[in-house]
Amino acid sequence: TRYEENFKQMIVELNQTGRSVRGLAKEYGLSEATIYKWKKFNLPDQSTGLTGKEVAELRKENARLNEELEILKKAAAIFSRKT
């Protein structure tokens, strides 16, 4: 990534302490859209309580588990035919 994770978190925390997105964007040479994206990724969603980062991790884990399940289903089918 272009920016270190701790820099992104610092910008989000500065915004949380009352600094405006516009002011931070100007001061650090960022686009406002970038800061809003970082906020979405690092702050909990009000409806789920999960951050964007946590949601991405859960989706990745879910995909991995689904892949493992498919492998196990195929293995079970193969072994059940042999008996």
Side-chain angles (χ1 to χ4, degrees):
T1 60
R2 185 172 169 193
Y3 298 99
E4 295 290 325
E5 203 58 40
N6 59 355
F7 175 74
K8 295 176 184 181
Q9 289 175 350
M10 179 193 75
I11 296 295
V12 171
E13 288 170 9
L14 286 171
N15 177 250
Q16 291 300 106
T17 62
R19 303 275 304 274
S20 72
V21 170
R22 178 172 286 179
L24 289 167
K26 243 182 197 180
E27 183 176 342
Y28 290 95
L30 304 165
S31 74
E32 291 180 35
T34 296
I35 295 173
Y36 283 115
K37 184 172 85 173
W38 293 349
K39 284 179 63 172
K40 185 175 182 180
F41 195 68
N42 288 294
L43 295 176
D45 180 270
Q46 290 182 351
S47 63
T48 63
L50 299 172
T51 65
K53 184 176 183 179
E54 290 168 328
V55 170
E57 289 169 356
L58 288 171
R59 284 186 177 142
K60 185 176 179 180
E61 176 71 2
N62 191 35
R64 185 186 66 77
L65 291 171
N66 281 328
E67 185 177 337
E68 286 181 12
L69 179 62
E70 289 305 312
I71 291 169
L72 291 171
K73 283 180 182 178
K74 289 176 184 177
I78 290 170
F79 287 119
S80 68
R81 280 188 247 148
K82 290 184 179 182
T83 58

